Amino acid sequence: MARLNEDAQWIVLMGFVVSFSFFFLAMILNQSTVVGQTTAESVVEFPKNDIRDVRNIIINSSYITDNNKFAVIQQDITTLSLSRKGAVVSYSVTHPTGLDTYTHITIHYNNGVTEYNENWTSS
Amino acid sequence: MVNDEGQLYTIEGVAAGMIMLFTTYLVLGATSVYTPGDTHISDMQLEQIGTDALVMMNTPVNGTVKSNLTEIVETSRINATAADETFNTTFLKYVNERTGSESDNLHYMADVTYRSDLTDNSITSYQLACTHNRIMNAGDHPVRVTEWVIADKQFPGSVNHPRAVLVEVLLWRD
């Protein structure tokens, strides 16, 4: 356009500026939806309450010292976790023996997305 | 540029353009796009309220007595109506409490799930309680909250054994 016709340079300039700005704004807007989606998914997928809850009942169940009764409860927790929450839960309790006066619990939790393992010791 | 006239006008024009762009940016930034993924925000709040209420019900006042929720589950094996009444009153009181005189409008449906057969590990659910004047409609969008309970009363398949059962609550607002 230079030297041919010098009218409306201002309009052309602003046209460029505005079109580039729209391009970047569109890019930002586009990314925000993707970010929202992935954040939502990771928040929804993380089983915070499930882990807390099952951990709580496992520790409570360790106070049952009768081996038969404990085995029934342990099987209850494993079965219900698998069928109602889709999580594989496995745990074992070691009661105080000899010089070791603490109760030790090994907890394994896995729902296919999140895995949680803990060695719990009574205090 | 062929000549140097109007430089100040050009600068002013560019400045005006910047101001316009900045205004657009502020306006767009002030509004937010509500995508389908954003529904988790209200869901999470509802889930937290429900979980808190159940944890409160499952916390005994001291180490020697049973928690409210444990007693309700145990009662439900003998007197389902009484269990329903107690659960309904306590749970609705916890979740619907709000600052001010107006209470919230949450509804729920509570089930108990237990292992009914000790050999093949099959499970069974029964209804523990539900909001009395409401049923869940197709338009409602519930969240599920759960709480484990160790109950002493007899569940089929065992004699004199305490059992771990799962209390599941569907909770929704309307």
Side-chain angles (χ1 to χ4, degrees):
Chain A
M1 278 186 291
R3 309 226 172 255
L4 292 176
N5 180 356
E6 285 152 22
D7 289 344
Q9 289 189 346
W10 164 240
I11 295 175
V12 173
L13 180 70
M14 283 322 289
F16 273 124
V17 170
V18 169
S19 57
F20 276 118
S21 325
F22 272 125
F23 180 72
F24 283 113
L25 282 179
M27 244 165 67
I28 291 167
L29 200 66
N30 190 22
Q31 278 191 345
S32 72
T33 35
V34 177
V35 168
Q37 183 67 37
T38 42
T39 314
E41 277 167 4
S42 53
V43 167
V44 168
E45 270 172 7
F46 187 70
K48 176 187 73 175
N49 289 325
D50 283 0
I51 294 177
R52 279 188 185 163
D53 208 12
V54 82
R55 186 180 176 277
N56 188 35
I57 186 104
I58 285 172
I59 294 169
N60 272 341
S61 75
S62 75
Y63 290 101
I64 296 165
T65 41
D66 183 311
N67 274 339
N68 291 330
K69 291 182 177 177
F70 175 76
V72 171
I73 291 225
Q74 194 179 30
Q75 189 61 43
D76 281 345
I77 293 171
T78 313
T79 309
L80 290 176
S81 287
L82 189 60
S83 52
R84 300 303 298 165
K85 299 194 178 225
V88 177
V89 172
S90 158
Y91 73 100
S92 61
V93 176
T94 313
H95 290 289
T97 44
L99 288 174
D100 186 2
T101 53
Y102 299 109
T103 302
H104 301 276
I105 308 178
T106 326
I107 303 170
H108 303 289
Y109 173 98
N110 191 337
N111 72 353
V113 180
T114 308
E115 193 185 330
Y116 178 82
N117 300 298
E118 181 180 353
N119 280 313
W120 183 85
T121 306
S122 63
S123 52
Chain B
M1 292 283 174
V2 185
N3 60 39
D4 297 342
E5 284 171 30
Q7 289 187 345
L8 211 56
Y9 283 119
T10 311
I11 293 170
E12 191 187 343
V14 171
M18 293 287 183
I19 292 172
M20 286 192 287
L21 276 178
F22 188 60
T23 312
T24 321
Y25 172 75
L26 281 186
V27 169
L28 283 180
T31 56
S32 64
V33 185
Y34 191 76
T35 57
D38 290 335
T39 50
H40 80 280
I41 297 171
S42 48
D43 282 359
M44 271 167 56
Q45 288 169 344
L46 205 55
E47 220 179 298
Q48 195 60 52
I49 291 171
T51 311
D52 285 351
L54 284 180
V55 169
M56 276 159 74
M57 289 174 74
N58 200 22
T59 307
V61 286
N62 60 47
T64 50
V65 297
K66 287 171 180 173
S67 73
N68 238 336
L69 191 60
T70 309
E71 277 179 350
I72 289 168
V73 170
E74 289 177 356
T75 311
S76 72
R77 301 299 302 172
I78 313 159
N79 186 344
T81 322
D84 172 68
E85 280 297 332
T86 323
F87 187 93
N88 193 57
T89 318
T90 321
F91 189 75
L92 283 183
K93 191 180 80 191
Y94 286 157
V95 293
N96 282 332
E97 199 68 51
R98 265 205 310 213
T99 313
S101 52
E102 284 241 337
S103 66
D104 207 347
N105 207 22
L106 298 184
H107 301 288
Y108 74 95
M109 224 173 77
D111 276 21
V112 172
T113 306
Y114 61 95
R115 189 162 61 102
S116 49
D117 194 316
L118 294 196
T119 43
D120 72 358
N121 288 336
S122 56
I123 60 162
T124 310
S125 298
Y126 64 91
Q127 186 163 330
L128 179 65
C130 68
T131 317
H132 288 170
N133 50 357
R134 272 296 304 262
I135 53 160
M136 188 160 53
N137 295 313
D140 293 326
H141 180 72
V143 298
R144 183 176 78 142
V145 291
T146 58
E147 182 74 21
W148 286 94
V149 169
I150 294 184
D152 260 335
K153 280 290 179 295
Q154 298 307 304
F155 281 87
S158 66
V159 180
N160 277 328
H161 280 221
R163 299 291 300 274
V165 299
L166 189 64
V167 177
E168 291 172 273
V169 177
L170 289 179
L171 189 64
W172 70 94
R173 174 182 277 128
D174 70 355

